[in-house]
Amino acid sequence: MIAALRQRAALNALIRAFFAERDVLEVETPILSAAGNTEPNIDSFHTRFSGHVDAGSAQRWLRTSPEYPLKRLLAAGVGDCYELGRVFRNGEAGGRHNPEFTLLEWYRVGWDHHRLIEETAALVRAALGLVQRTATLRVIDYRGLYQRALEIDPFDASLEQLQAPLADIRIDADGLTRDDWLDLLMTHCIQPGFDDDTMTVVHDWPASQAALARVRPGRPPLAERFELYLGAVELANGYHELNDAAEQRARFERDLATRRTRGDVLPPLDEPLLAALPGLPDCAGVAVGVDRLLMALNRTLRIADVLTIDFAHA
């Protein structure tokens, strides 16, 4: 445990030095918010404030990332910025997940997602130096990845074609969407084959998986988004950020509609974010799971190996 503490401290110091050298401002944003994350596959913790009603909404949500307040800062003119802090996701506990974990998120004004890929890879490469490792960089588009790995076109294949490589895996197919099957192909058939000493970056995802990313028109339309993996471990998720408030509201409403059909909790929309989005400068942002990065550095699939105390023993 002591060795893990020292390594985490060294990584935190490296991250801060990395951004100080690039003149990216470190900021702190609220952990408790009046709004929650609407993403259907993310469950937020929530609590109630017992103080005076003038303090605002009593129902508060623990952040699943600092994205929304960071974008409000960007719209206010803060410029390039990052936050290194704790985030919380309910229901995610096990070998690779802890309900509270450390996330690094940063934004670059005037950049697109392709330029941010280079900086994200540079940070991971610097972190690898802590354990005297190196990694090559492989950048590939989403369609090309599926075609090379499985000989499947993820945009044109039928549902039956997407399901075929997963036939030997026990999967409850009830309620699964096309995007769910694509995700299962990634996690069960493609990711495990990524080379241990390679950073694989996958860009230009299906528009249906855009979340808060811009969508580039075309046939098919593509989300200007990337994910970075070190070996088989997913480390980062980055976007060329959407600044269209009407489109973002529509995406949030679609999320809530999905939640409603499942009988899930319906978090309130982040209205201050939506109000700020028209002022968001052209920018790209990325979130890196720090615990995941430490796992990858140490070639372990157990998150408990890199934590001071895991959820089961907290």
Side-chain angles (χ1 to χ4, degrees):
M1 180 182 74
I2 303 302
L5 286 173
R6 293 186 183 279
Q7 187 181 62
R8 182 181 290 269
L11 179 58
N12 288 347
L14 181 149
I15 288 168
R16 290 189 163 99
F18 183 91
F19 289 115
E21 182 181 332
R22 289 160 174 77
D23 197 28
V24 180
L25 180 67
E26 181 175 10
V27 299
E28 289 186 346
T29 62
I31 288 176
L32 288 172
S33 172
N37 189 337
T38 62
E39 219 287 325
N41 295 320
I42 295 178
D43 190 11
S44 303
F45 286 100
H46 51 90
T47 187
R48 294 194 68 80
F49 174 67
S50 61
H52 198 278
V53 293
D54 290 347
S57 172
Q59 181 88 330
R60 294 284 159 161
W61 303 77
L62 273 73
R63 67 183 186 183
T64 59
S65 92
E67 180 168 6
Y68 298 173
L70 286 176
K71 286 183 174 176
R72 289 166 61 183
L73 289 178
L74 287 160
V78 73
D80 297 336
C81 60
Y82 79 96
E83 183 163 4
L84 177 63
R86 304 293 274 182
V87 297
F88 307 84
R89 298 188 183 183
N90 200 357
E92 298 187 14
R96 303 187 188 194
H97 299 89
N98 206 63
E100 59 173 310
F101 57 99
T102 302
L103 196 68
L104 166 66
E105 189 156 329
W106 78 93
Y107 292 84
R108 288 298 216 152
V109 175
W111 289 25
D112 66 7
H113 58 304
H114 290 292
R115 188 173 177 188
L116 191 56
I117 286 171
E118 298 173 9
E119 187 167 65
T120 307
L123 176 66
V124 174
R125 194 172 283 116
L128 282 165
L130 294 174
V131 291
Q132 293 76 52
R133 285 179 58 194
T134 61
T136 57
L137 177 62
R138 175 197 186 205
V139 180
I140 187 170
D141 67 282
Y142 187 91
R143 171 177 258 163
L145 177 69
Y146 280 72
Q147 288 176 328
R148 291 189 191 183
L150 301 173
E151 297 184 346
I152 287 175
D153 186 321
F155 297 101
D156 294 336
S158 67
L159 196 59
E160 290 74 19
Q161 288 173 312
L162 298 182
Q163 293 169 337
L166 297 158
D168 294 334
I169 302 171
R170 293 186 61 186
I171 295 172
D172 181 0
D174 186 38
L176 293 185
T177 66
R178 181 182 183 86
D179 282 329
D180 292 327
W181 286 105
L182 287 170
D183 287 345
L184 287 167
L185 286 173
M186 177 69 83
T187 56
H188 287 71
C189 301
I190 299 177
Q191 263 179 262
F194 287 164
D195 184 75
D196 199 38
D197 291 314
T198 298
M199 284 183 282
T200 301
V201 176
V202 184
H203 64 90
D204 287 350
W205 288 61
S208 54
Q209 300 184 39
L212 287 92
R214 298 186 185 204
V215 171
R216 186 169 68 253
R219 295 187 178 180
L222 298 172
E224 297 192 331
R225 167 189 170 194
F226 71 88
E227 289 192 357
L228 182 148
Y229 304 79
L230 179 56
V233 180
E234 178 196 341
L235 296 184
N237 188 12
Y239 303 142
H240 189 191
E241 301 294 344
L242 179 70
N243 58 2
D244 182 331
E247 170 61 21
Q248 190 60 69
R249 182 182 294 277
R251 293 183 192 180
F252 285 161
E253 294 289 358
R254 285 196 293 271
D255 287 347
L256 291 180
T258 299
R259 284 180 164 273
R260 197 172 287 112
T261 62
R262 296 176 179 177
D264 293 342
V265 173
L266 303 177
L269 300 188
D270 195 318
E271 294 295 344
L273 168 69
L274 292 169
L277 274 185
L280 184 72
D282 183 26
C283 64
V286 62
V288 174
V290 173
D291 308 279
R292 287 284 187 90
L293 178 52
L294 287 164
M295 290 166 64
L297 295 184
N298 290 284
R299 304 181 193 270
T300 179
L301 296 179
R302 295 184 66 254
I303 194 169
D305 292 341
V306 301
L307 298 175
T308 308
I309 302 171
D310 67 356
F311 184 70
H313 301 96

